[in-house]
Amino acid sequence: MLVLVAALLLFGIVLGTVAHLPVPLSLIAAAVIGCWLLVFAVRERRSHRPH
């Protein structure tokens, strides 16, 4: 339960920060994070694949 509260608190802080940024900067940041997550997912999938 404490983890959920902490996650929601951090989520609220991040959304509050994004609300004060210009829209193009927010979109660029979202694209960078999305690319990073995609690279991470591909690397994880490759590392767990049996040889």
Side-chain angles (χ1 to χ4, degrees):
M1 186 68 173
L2 186 59
V3 174
L4 180 62
V5 171
L8 288 174
L9 179 66
L10 287 173
F11 187 64
I13 291 169
V14 169
L15 284 179
T17 303
V18 170
H20 295 289
L21 293 175
V23 174
L25 186 59
S26 298
L27 293 176
I28 290 170
V32 168
I33 292 169
C35 288
W36 179 75
L37 288 173
L38 184 62
V39 168
F40 178 77
V42 168
R43 288 181 65 194
E44 283 294 311
R45 183 175 275 275
R46 283 188 178 173
S47 68
H48 292 295
R49 189 176 287 175
H51 297 306

